[in-house]
Amino acid sequence: QQQVKQSPQSLIVQKGGIPIINCAYENTAFDYFPWYQQFPGKGPALLIAIRPDVSEKKEGRFTISFNKSAKQFSLHIMDSQPGDSATYFCAARQGAQKLVFGQGTRLTINP
Amino acid sequence: GAVVSQHPSWVICKSGTSVKIECRSLDFQATTMFWYRQFPKQSLMLMATSNEGSKATYEQGVEKDKFLINHASLTLSTLTVTSAHPEDSSFYICSAQPGQASYNEQFFGPGTRLTVL
């Protein structure tokens, strides 16, 4: 019940396209859903996060869509660029407890 | 703001030696720090959670005598890999959280690459 399932495992998109990464969870007590971006050899960096009281949050080219009834949330990257090529992790947390990470998605944006 | 540093960024050591990795929150006080390890092309695996001034809480399967964690101040936590072996080679990442409120973000360090020969 503590798992967060992320898909796809890898994704290749042409520049300007809109990659979509999906995550699903079971624990309805999760109340914080962040997305992290990680470049090779670097630590993860927080991209954007959402709480379950909203269905969508947008920051720049990054948008989280949240479906509470389906227990799913997704990351959309608008006007994707080669510099967005990285591994993306979704995560979830209940209160002050530990983050539960998804398996990661390796995104490649082709020029 | 919210910068977390790690030192060293990479380390190579011989089997049987101990290695210490430092994690510092540079511009905030971290009530809680977390230590993760990450194998190539895998997700982050939480090893332990430490609160300043108290003993670390280790995740199931993590040997507390092998991975010693000290959180002596609100800005510094250390991870010591004792008697390191090649299977301990990994990417170790710390994160720090200011306070325990559910809305508090976790800020990650840049990671430390450990290679044990």
Side-chain angles (χ1 to χ4, degrees):
Chain A
Q1 193 169 9
Q2 283 296 100
Q3 282 187 330
V4 176
K5 295 184 179 179
Q6 184 172 346
S7 63
Q9 193 172 17
S10 63
L11 183 59
I12 300 174
V13 172
Q14 289 298 118
K15 177 184 173 182
I18 305 176
I20 300 172
I21 305 170
N22 301 296
C23 286
Y25 64 96
E26 290 295 323
N27 184 354
T28 56
F30 284 146
D31 58 4
Y32 173 66
F33 302 88
W35 283 90
Y36 293 90
Q37 179 189 57
Q38 185 179 31
F39 293 105
K42 305 293 183 184
L46 178 68
L47 259 183
I48 185 173
I50 198 168
R51 300 201 180 273
D53 52 346
V54 298
S55 60
E56 185 176 281
K57 183 175 181 181
K58 188 177 294 187
E59 286 186 5
R61 296 185 294 109
F62 300 94
T63 299
I64 298 180
S65 297
F66 186 83
N67 187 328
K68 190 173 182 178
S69 60
K71 292 183 285 186
Q72 295 176 348
F73 58 109
S74 59
L75 176 70
H76 302 232
I77 305 175
M78 306 301 175
D79 188 28
S80 58
Q81 302 296 315
D84 296 328
S85 298
T87 298
Y88 292 80
F89 293 96
C90 64
R93 188 175 73 193
Q94 175 186 346
Q97 296 184 20
K98 63 184 180 183
L99 280 171
V100 178
F101 282 89
Q103 296 82 359
T105 297
R106 300 189 78 184
L107 174 65
T108 302
I109 307 297
N110 284 331
Chain B
V3 178
V4 176
S5 71
Q6 280 185 242
H7 179 79
S9 55
W10 59 269
V11 57
I12 302 173
C13 69
K14 291 183 179 179
S15 185
T17 60
S18 294
V19 174
K20 181 185 284 188
I21 302 170
E22 291 186 350
C23 175
R24 293 182 185 271
S25 56
L26 298 184
D27 50 5
F28 65 97
Q29 293 188 326
T31 307
T32 307
M33 285 185 167
F34 304 85
W35 286 96
Y36 297 83
R37 67 188 299 183
Q38 186 179 34
F39 292 106
K41 298 184 181 180
Q42 293 190 21
S43 189
L44 285 78
M45 184 189 81
L46 181 65
M47 300 174 67
T49 302
S50 72
N51 292 295
E52 186 265 339
S54 60
K55 287 185 178 181
T57 301
Y58 290 80
E59 294 298 302
Q60 192 172 8
V62 177
E63 300 175 60
K64 58 183 67 176
D65 293 331
K66 181 167 187 62
F67 298 99
L68 302 179
I69 292 172
N70 184 285
H71 191 163
S73 77
L74 285 172
T75 59
L76 173 65
S77 177
T78 60
L79 167 68
T80 302
V81 183
T82 62
S83 186
H85 291 282
E87 57 266 29
D88 299 322
S89 298
S90 188
F91 193 51
Y92 291 87
I93 308 170
C94 73
S95 71
Q97 185 171 309
Q100 293 185 336
S102 62
Y103 52 81
N104 285 340
E105 311 291 352
Q106 266 188 43
F107 300 98
F108 285 83
T112 296
R113 173 76 58 192
L114 170 63
T115 302
V116 185
L117 302 176

